Amino acid sequence: MTGTAPVSFTADDYKARMDRAARQAADAGLAGLLVAPGPDLVWLTGYAPPAVTERLTLLLLAAGREPVLVVPTLEAPDAEKATGAPALTLRDWTDGKDPYALTAALLDGRGRFGVSDNAWALHLLGLQQALPGTSYVPLTEALPMLRAVKDAAELERLAAAGAAADAAFEEIRNVRFSGRRESEVAADLAALLRRFGHAQVDFTIVASGPNGANPHHEAGDRRIERGDMVVLDFGGLKDGYGSDTSRTVHVGEPTEEERRVHDLVREAQEAGFRAVRPGAACQDVDRAARAVIAGAGYGEYFIHRTGHGIGVTTHEPPYMIEGEERPLVPGMCFSVEPGVYLPGRFGVRIEDIVTVTEDGGRRLNETEREMVIVD
């Protein structure tokens, strides 16, 4: 079960993205953007090099100028096949030549540039040496909202990824937990994500009993026991777009306190979701969820932000955290995932991906949020 194929992005789609990025860079006072291989390059051009190596590959964007992709000659045939290639100019370089001199000739020698976060220091230092009058700023600092607002085709892919993650949860809740290692259940989750169409599995957290108090616990050799609360947090990429969901299940009947904490987190998650609307600040989502947990006396045990953006990566801006005053805009997608973590005892987290609509929010995960009992 993988569902129908998504609508393909076109050369015009990629051209529009590159044009928008160049305009936003100019509006931010930048001479342009330098985009290395990684999620930004894929989002802007549809091109992912066959291998990320020490050879320079760099997309150059500047308002009023045609985009240029600098590539090694041996990889130029692959770059030419990218869907966005018709919207840019390829400039290739051969081994033995200086790619930084080639690139420097295409840039403002005294400009300030936004650079994709995953650019190699090797390449940035090479450019600085060739253009000592330039300066640089990380792309997520300069244009943090560049990929934040999704179009209809992107929302369709995110919804499909969320539905696939939901299908994986519906299956995993029926497997045996007690007596099995966390790593075994995590392997089941990874296999289910792939079965339901994920090409890449980024994480499968299975945190049982006291391990649940660690939000980023790596599934290990602990055997899950009856009486354990188990936090499940899993996701990855389907058709290039991310999923990320969390549910907390219980092996056998829970105690009264375990039910109370789970209900509290569910109430906080609902409050965070209800705070989603155009014009609200990102921090309002965090405040709404956090107020519920703090009001019940568990505030010190909610130890992370309420949410993060999602798109071509599973974690990206915007972030639902105190101090983030950027307004929510229709098309933004992010997690709402409050939690309570009681050291040495157990943890609870409930997470949905939510997209901002014209009049509120829409969940992209719809599995049961009530406590699920497993064997």
Side-chain angles (χ1 to χ4, degrees):
M1 173 185 169
T2 58
T4 58
V7 174
S8 297
F9 298 123
T10 68
D12 287 342
D13 292 327
Y14 290 115
K15 181 180 186 304
R17 291 176 186 179
M18 287 188 279
D19 289 346
R20 189 172 88 208
R23 287 196 307 271
Q24 289 186 13
D27 291 344
L30 299 175
L33 302 180
L34 309 178
V35 184
D40 289 315
L41 185 63
V42 173
W43 184 78
L44 286 163
T45 69
Y47 177 54
V52 179
T53 71
E54 73 284 356
R55 292 185 174 92
L56 178 71
T57 295
L58 201 64
L59 174 67
L60 316 180
L61 297 177
R65 301 181 63 180
E66 185 173 14
V68 176
L69 181 63
V70 176
V71 295
T73 299
L74 76 169
E75 294 176 3
D78 293 305
E80 290 171 349
K81 296 175 185 176
T83 305
L88 50 79
T89 297
L90 289 179
R91 295 291 299 272
D92 65 308
W93 62 276
T94 58
D95 287 350
K97 302 294 184 180
D98 184 351
Y100 306 113
L102 167 65
T103 305
L106 302 170
L107 299 176
D108 177 351
R110 296 194 174 277
R112 180 172 173 80
F113 295 90
V115 181
S116 53
D117 296 6
N118 54 334
W120 285 23
L122 170 72
H123 299 319
L124 193 56
L125 291 170
L127 285 174
Q128 285 180 316
Q129 186 173 8
L131 293 172
T134 54
S135 60
Y136 305 90
V137 61
L139 191 53
T140 53
E141 179 183 326
L143 301 178
M145 296 295 106
L146 177 62
R147 303 194 320 247
V149 178
K150 276 64 179 179
D151 62 27
E154 291 182 292
L155 290 173
E156 179 184 336
R157 293 189 185 212
L158 283 161
D166 283 357
F169 177 73
E170 294 295 353
E171 292 285 336
I172 202 69
R173 63 183 288 179
N174 294 317
V175 309
R176 185 167 184 82
F177 279 70
S178 62
R180 301 180 69 209
R181 299 182 191 279
E182 292 174 340
S183 57
E184 293 172 329
V185 177
D188 288 345
L189 263 176
L192 286 167
L193 285 171
R194 292 190 178 95
R195 173 180 155 193
F196 290 113
H198 280 63
Q200 177 178 313
V201 176
D202 287 346
F203 47 89
T204 51
I205 294 172
V206 178
S208 63
N211 289 340
N214 176 1
H216 283 171
H217 171 70
E218 292 281 345
D221 290 335
R222 184 182 186 275
R223 289 195 181 276
I224 302 169
E225 303 173 354
R226 293 196 69 79
D228 279 348
M229 195 85 89
V230 185
V231 179
L232 304 174
D233 182 356
F234 50 97
L237 299 182
K238 180 182 186 296
D239 296 318
Y241 281 75
S243 68
D244 185 2
T245 189
S246 300
R247 293 292 185 264
T248 303
V249 301
H250 198 277
V251 187
E253 286 300 316
T255 65
E256 182 179 340
E257 182 190 20
E258 288 170 331
R259 280 196 180 277
R260 184 172 67 250
V261 172
H262 189 280
D263 287 346
L264 175 66
V265 174
R266 180 169 54 82
E267 181 184 347
Q269 206 270 346
E270 177 67 18
F273 170 68
R274 294 297 176 192
V276 175
R277 63 185 183 279
C282 292
Q283 67 181 5
D284 293 342
V285 179
D286 183 83
R287 287 175 174 178
R290 200 169 299 276
V292 173
I293 291 173
Y298 287 88
E300 67 182 291
Y301 303 112
F302 181 8
I303 56 177
H304 56 71
R305 64 197 175 203
T306 293
H308 58 81
I310 190 168
V312 291
T313 58
T314 49
H315 288 74
E316 62 184 44
Y319 298 105
M320 306 301 113
I321 190 170
E322 181 66 30
E324 180 50 86
E325 297 179 349
R326 287 187 178 85
L328 300 180
V329 176
M332 282 183 175
C333 292
F334 47 84
S335 65
V336 178
E337 51 175 307
V340 168
Y341 308 93
L342 303 178
R345 302 182 61 204
F346 64 89
V348 177
R349 182 164 63 258
I350 300 173
E351 173 186 14
D352 294 325
I353 298 302
V354 173
T355 183
V356 184
T357 64
E358 294 296 333
D359 57 1
R362 175 169 67 95
R363 299 182 195 265
L364 301 187
N365 296 104
E366 290 294 352
T367 54
E368 189 172 352
R369 296 174 197 91
E370 300 283 348
M371 181 180 287
V372 171
I373 309 298
V374 298
D375 292 329

